[in-house]
Amino acid sequence: HAALTVTADNKTRAYGSSNPVLTGTMPGVQNNDNITISYSTTALTSSPAGAYAIAPTLVDPDGKSGNYTVTTNNGTLSVTTVVLVATADNKARTYGAANPSFTGTITGLQNNDNITATFSTSSTASSAVGSYSIVPALVDPNNKLGNYSVKLNNGTLSVTGAPLTV
């Protein structure tokens, strides 16, 4: 028996992306035998960040694999995190007024993940004139944040002086 080593190549892709084309090598085929390789993985577009096996399988329509001692080596598909950015919008109000509604944006969401943002500040109606941070916080009821590298960008609440009427 001739030695035939089937090895799947390692691949990497980002969470939410399609799997790349799976490839590998198969040194040792003799006599132009019609043996090829197919590759499979359990990773789907929605699979969480992590490592997944890439399994090579011989395709042998002429039944020649019995002439070989076959060694199979799995590869690894690494699903990496993607950047998720939550940014609070800047707002302004006058001293003594209630805080406005806070808004912002989230960019980088994949797979329609149910991640939203809330925005808050330490400023109250009686807070002095000045600048206060508007801080985003992420709400993740389905525990998907592990698939993201999160970046939070604060906004600024500018509290200006109230007009004084005499």
Side-chain angles (χ1 to χ4, degrees):
H1 292 273
L4 180 63
T5 302
V6 181
T7 303
D9 294 333
N10 295 329
K11 298 288 182 170
T12 300
R13 71 159 173 87
Y15 170 71
S17 297
S18 298
N19 288 336
V21 174
L22 303 177
T23 58
T25 59
M26 185 177 54
V29 174
Q30 304 293 313
N31 303 318
N32 291 320
D33 286 343
N34 183 24
I35 299 173
T36 58
I37 316 169
S38 68
Y39 304 92
S40 63
T41 183
T42 59
L44 306 172
T45 303
S46 59
S47 295
Y52 298 84
I54 301 172
T57 302
L58 286 181
V59 178
D60 181 19
D62 301 328
K64 299 289 186 174
S65 64
N67 297 321
Y68 297 89
T69 301
V70 179
T71 302
T72 302
N73 300 307
N74 286 351
T76 300
L77 174 62
S78 298
V79 177
T80 61
T81 59
V82 293
V83 175
L84 179 71
V85 180
T87 302
D89 295 332
N90 295 329
K91 298 289 181 169
R93 69 166 176 85
T94 57
Y95 172 77
N99 286 332
S101 294
F102 297 128
T103 58
T105 57
I106 298 178
T107 57
L109 282 174
Q110 301 293 316
N111 298 319
N112 294 312
D113 286 343
N114 182 26
I115 298 172
T116 58
T118 61
F119 305 94
S120 62
T121 186
S122 62
S123 176
T124 64
S126 61
S127 294
V129 169
S131 296
Y132 299 85
S133 292
I134 301 171
V135 180
L138 295 174
V139 179
D140 179 24
N142 303 114
N143 298 313
K144 298 290 186 174
L145 278 178
N147 298 308
Y148 297 93
S149 298
V150 176
K151 182 171 187 207
L152 302 175
N153 295 318
N154 291 348
T156 300
L157 174 64
S158 298
V159 177
T160 59
L164 182 60
T165 308
V166 179

